[in-house]
Amino acid sequence: MIADNLKSVKRRISKAARQAGRNPDSIQLVAVSKQVSSENIITAYKAGAKYFGENKIQEAADKIDDVNLRDVGWHFIGHLQKNKIKYLDSKFDLIHSVDSLSLAEKISSYCESQDIIQLVLLQVNISGEESKFGMLPSELIAQLSVFAKLKGIRIKGLMTIPPKDPNPENSRKYFSELRLLRDRCQSLNLNGIELNELSMGMTGDYEVAIEEGATIVRIGTAIFGFR
Ligand SMILES: *Cc1c(COP(=O)(O)O)cnc(C)c1O
């Protein structure tokens, strides 16, 4: 089941990439394993999943120890409370969900004290929905030069979650807006910031996200089934 699902997701990623004139290898698949058992994670790993995404920091930390696989990358994709930063403990290859300057500052100073540099993405609330975490585009642009000076993190790109919608075409404008925002940030030419990564696209809309330039897709349901 999981192995077949993974194969079919990978095939669809490759097809969407080729149709958009992109190299399929330029798109990283993060298998979102929140609420998934260690056993099923290991099944996905054996079927070829290399990166896993978790959204609850303590659950993730326990699972990473329990699964205990060396050559996989763990990504953190959930809202991180400032009092839980110590759980990061250099376990994550990438944090997708840095959603405020104050959180970035806290992560950075923690990582500096540990003598590590944490790779992160900045989460943007492109749709402006009240209920969503993430910075508004105007906030991001205004604060980017301050982010760029933080020594304990390295900013690799942007992440967004569009409004829930059964029609993937309705996500397209949010994905293209994230890409345009990224281009605009890059044109500021700030030292200490690279914005090559665009983390966007989930089970319902990852092909559209790839057409709009996603470099990382975060897919749970299509691989592990309904949570
Ligand atoms: C759960 C989750 C996903 C995966 O969603 P699916 O629809 O199951 O693919 C992706 N990104 C984030 C931030 C999530 O919380």
Side-chain angles (χ1 to χ4, degrees):
M1 219 347 218
I2 290 173
D4 289 342
N5 290 348
L6 185 66
K7 214 196 257 173
S8 126
V9 166
K10 282 184 171 176
R11 208 182 298 120
R12 285 173 60 176
I13 289 173
S14 292
K15 186 162 172 234
R18 277 194 301 270
Q19 278 174 352
R22 302 182 57 201
N23 180 351
D25 296 336
S26 67
I27 294 142
Q28 184 180 12
L29 168 59
V30 174
V32 174
S33 52
K34 60 188 187 198
Q35 296 165 46
V36 171
S37 67
S38 299
E39 193 188 339
N40 285 347
I41 293 175
I42 291 169
T43 303
Y45 165 77
K46 287 184 178 153
K50 294 193 174 65
Y51 304 96
F52 293 95
E54 290 284 338
N55 72 338
K56 296 236 160 47
I57 193 76
Q58 275 160 288
E59 184 187 328
D62 292 345
K63 235 191 250 178
I64 292 170
D65 289 339
D66 189 40
V67 169
N68 195 24
L69 294 168
R70 286 191 185 287
D71 52 345
V72 305
W74 294 91
H75 289 203
F76 189 71
I77 61 173
H79 176 62
L80 185 58
Q81 286 166 291
K82 294 186 187 93
N83 61 356
K84 301 218 167 130
I85 286 171
K86 62 174 188 294
Y87 291 101
L88 288 178
D89 215 16
S90 59
K91 283 179 193 291
F92 296 96
D93 287 1
L94 185 66
I95 299 173
H96 292 226
S97 43
V98 172
D99 52 17
S100 70
L101 179 58
S102 57
L103 176 62
E105 287 170 337
K106 288 238 160 57
I107 296 174
S108 179
S109 56
Y110 177 75
C111 291
E112 271 194 277
S113 75
Q114 304 290 303
D115 221 11
I116 55 169
I117 293 177
Q118 173 70 57
L119 306 184
V120 306
L121 307 177
L122 302 179
Q123 181 172 352
V124 186
N125 182 358
I126 284 278
S127 61
E129 285 171 290
E130 292 270 344
S131 60
K132 281 247 152 74
F133 289 111
M135 288 167 279
L136 295 173
S138 55
E139 268 179 290
L140 174 67
I141 288 171
Q143 297 174 335
L144 202 61
S145 64
V146 189
F147 278 106
K149 292 197 182 83
L150 299 174
K151 297 250 182 322
I153 60 173
R154 185 166 298 142
I155 297 167
K156 304 292 285 181
L158 304 179
M159 180 273 230
T160 201
I161 307 170
K164 263 202 169 59
D165 194 310
N167 180 358
E169 277 304 321
N170 291 335
S171 298
R172 188 180 295 279
K173 69 169 184 285
Y174 302 107
F175 296 148
S176 75
E177 277 178 41
L178 191 72
R179 187 190 65 235
L180 293 171
L181 177 65
R182 185 275 306 273
D183 294 349
R184 183 156 166 220
C185 292
Q186 262 176 342
S187 72
L188 301 174
N189 266 323
L190 295 168
N191 277 333
I193 261 186
E194 304 158 38
L195 296 171
N196 296 327
E197 307 295 344
L198 289 176
S199 168
M200 54 192 200
M202 319 193 333
T203 290
D205 55 18
Y206 65 93
E207 285 145 313
V208 172
I210 289 168
E211 287 166 18
E212 296 299 331
T215 62
I216 306 175
V217 290
R218 313 175 306 267
I219 301 178
T221 309
I223 296 172
F224 295 108
F226 285 103
R227 289 179 293 270

